[in-house]
């Protein structure tokens, strides 16, 4: 059974710092991996999607990497801002039309 | 609208009542998913539709949970004889389907509180 783990559970950093969020999964047979952002009381916003054949994806200040063989992904946030404060969720997809399996998320707080 | 729309946003019900939660996916999206998110947890899969066909309902926690998508667009998640452990946020997501590696787009969810 696929399990997704995210560490740390919570992180507080001063504005301007670069930071890394970690995600690990137990079964390397994934179709893709997706990073989401969730603001309080809101749904999930897709940030980056990495196909199983890819090593990384970048969008603005965000960079996500994938090492499928070791079951790991990282989300790198450069020059963090208070507006980045949210919960970040990692999810893996089993097949091309399958559901997502989520971690519990990392709650990020960026202090001005 | 352009995104996934869920209604109601909040629902309070007494234990034992039946509730119905609605999801309007993005127009033209073939795939529709329901997830349940407990406080402080990641979303957990409930069920999946491709058009009107319910292809996977393995995540439904009991036979009190029922979902339908009769015309392949709007979907309804129904919970019968609600219990306190049903309190959670119910999220709906849609994706185009048939196109590899398309992200799932989520609605804002329905927050269900069972008293």
């Amino acid at each position: 059974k696929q399990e997704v783990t995210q560490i740390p559970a919570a992180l507080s950093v001063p504005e301007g710092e670069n930071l890394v969020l970690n995600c690990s999964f137990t079964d390397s047979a994934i179709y893709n991996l997706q990073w989401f952002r969730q603001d309080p009381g809101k749904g999930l916003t897709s940030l980056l999607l990495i196909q199983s054949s890819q090593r990384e994806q970048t969008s603005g200040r965000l960079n996500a990497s994938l090492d499928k063989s070791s079951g790991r992904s990282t989300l790198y946030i450069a020059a963090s801002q208070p507006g980045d404060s949210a919960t970040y969720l990692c999810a893996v997809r089993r097949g091309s039309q399958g559901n997502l399996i989520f971690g519990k998320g990392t709650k990020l707080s960026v202090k001005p | 609208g352009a995104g996934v729309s869920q209604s109601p946003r909040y629902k309070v019900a007494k234990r034992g009542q039946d509730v119905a939660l609605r999801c309007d996916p993005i127009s033209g999206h073939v795939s529709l998913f329901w997830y349940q998110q407990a406080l402080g947890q990641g979303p957990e899969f409930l069920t999946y539709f491709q058009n009107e066909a319910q292809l996977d309902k393995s995540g439904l926690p009991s036979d009190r949970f029922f979902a339908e998508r009769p015309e392949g667009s709007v979907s309804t998640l129904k919970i019968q004889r609600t219990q306190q452990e049903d309190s959670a946020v119910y999220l709906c997501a849609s994706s185009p389907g048939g196109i590899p590696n398309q992200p799932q787009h989520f609605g804002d969810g329905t927050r269900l509180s069972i008293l």
Side-chain angles (χ1 to χ4, degrees), chain B residues 78-102:
Chain B
K78 298 179 180 178
I79 309 174
Q80 298 177 324
R81 304 180 303 281
T82 53
Q83 301 177 5
Q84 284 193 323
E85 60 262 31
D86 300 334
S87 296
V89 175
Y90 290 84
L91 295 166
C92 176
S94 70
S95 66
I99 304 170
N101 287 301
Q102 291 296 305

Side-chain angles (χ1 to χ4, degrees), chain A residues 32 34 38 41 43 99-100 104, chain B residues 9 35 37 41 45 101 103:
Chain A
N32 60 38
Q34 209 167 339
Q38 187 172 33
N99 58 281
L100 296 171
K104 292 183 179 180
Chain B
R9 288 281 285 121
Y35 294 86
Q37 186 175 25
Q41 304 294 312
F45 169 73
N101 287 301

